[in-house]
């Protein structure tokens, strides 16, 4: 697969990857040491979703729309960007593609924050918004935190 984010996503890269057989794209957000401005991060997430929707919609001009059914996407969000999932999901699914997995980036997070965000992700999985959820980083502390969520 290919990791794409707000800083490196462009049409040429996406088209070249698809022409070379890549069918899985993993959406990430920049990682910051601390969350100082939640509105900035929320805005950045919306901007990423809009850019992604635009890119996926422009596949028609490159005559690659026939690949849509074979493409899959996963997304990794830091805890403070869990709320961005719905925008990213909308961008992917409105273009006829599948969002298969959502990972919580548990690095540098407290067990309480992991539990809180994992509950939100579990609900999204249970109502069918995403097929699978998982953890990225955080080690055994994160694994213990999510095991306590019903």
């Amino acid at each position: 697969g290919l990791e794409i984010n707000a800083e490196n996503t462009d049409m040429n890269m996406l088209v070249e990857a698809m022409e070379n057989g890549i069918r899985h794209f993993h959406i990430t957000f920049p990682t910051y040491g601390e969350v100082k401005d939640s509105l900035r991060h929320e805005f950045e997430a919306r901007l990423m979703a809009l850019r992604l929707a635009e890119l996926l919609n422009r596949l028609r001009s490159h005559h690659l729309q026939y690949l849509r059914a074979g493409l899959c996407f996963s997304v990794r969000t830091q805890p403070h960007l869990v709320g961005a999932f719905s925008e990213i999901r909308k961008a992917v699914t409105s273009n006829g593609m599948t969002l298969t997995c959502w990972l919580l980036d548990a690095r540098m997070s407290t067990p309480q924050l992991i539990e809180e965000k994992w509950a939100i992700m579990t609900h999204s999985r249970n109502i069918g918004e995403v097929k699978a959820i998982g953890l990225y980083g955080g080690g055994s502390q994160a694994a213990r935190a999510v095991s306590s969520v019903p």
Side-chain angles (χ1 to χ4, degrees):
L2 179 67
E3 189 171 289
I4 57 177
N5 66 40
E7 293 158 348
N8 73 5
T9 305
D10 72 14
M11 194 65 191
N12 294 333
M13 178 188 67
L14 189 62
V15 168
E16 185 178 341
M18 292 171 70
E19 288 174 342
N20 286 303
I22 293 176
R23 299 295 181 261
H24 173 236
F25 297 91
H26 184 67
I27 303 162
T28 64
F29 295 92
T31 302
Y32 304 106
E34 50 185 287
V35 182
K36 291 186 178 181
D37 186 354
S38 62
L39 290 177
R40 174 181 169 227
H41 296 304
E42 186 178 316
F43 175 76
E44 186 175 82
R46 286 191 178 138
L47 183 60
M48 174 67 174
L50 288 172
R51 288 190 71 204
L52 181 62
E54 177 189 15
L55 282 172
L56 297 177
N57 194 39
R58 286 179 45 207
L59 290 176
R60 287 188 196 103
S61 66
H62 291 274
H63 309 291
L64 295 170
Q65 69 274 14
Y66 68 95
L67 294 174
R68 286 180 181 195
L71 298 178
C72 74
F73 289 80
S74 58
V75 64
R76 180 175 76 228
T77 58
Q78 293 87 21
H80 63 277
L81 289 174
V82 162
F85 173 76
S86 62
E87 296 290 329
I88 294 294
R89 180 184 169 277
K90 222 182 295 177
V92 172
T93 59
S94 68
N95 279 286
M97 297 172 209
T98 305
L99 185 61
T100 57
C101 184
W102 181 13
L103 299 175
L104 177 63
D105 189 340
R107 299 174 297 171
M108 301 181 290
S109 296
T110 65
Q112 295 80 14
L113 186 60
I114 293 168
E115 285 179 34
E116 176 189 328
K117 301 307 179 177
W118 189 258
I120 293 167
M121 293 172 67
T122 299
H123 176 72
S124 291
R125 184 200 59 213
N126 291 345
I127 64 172
E129 290 181 336
V130 65
K131 293 180 183 181
I133 57 175
L135 287 173
Y136 178 85
S140 60
Q141 175 183 341
R144 279 192 303 277
V146 299
S147 69
S148 66
V149 177

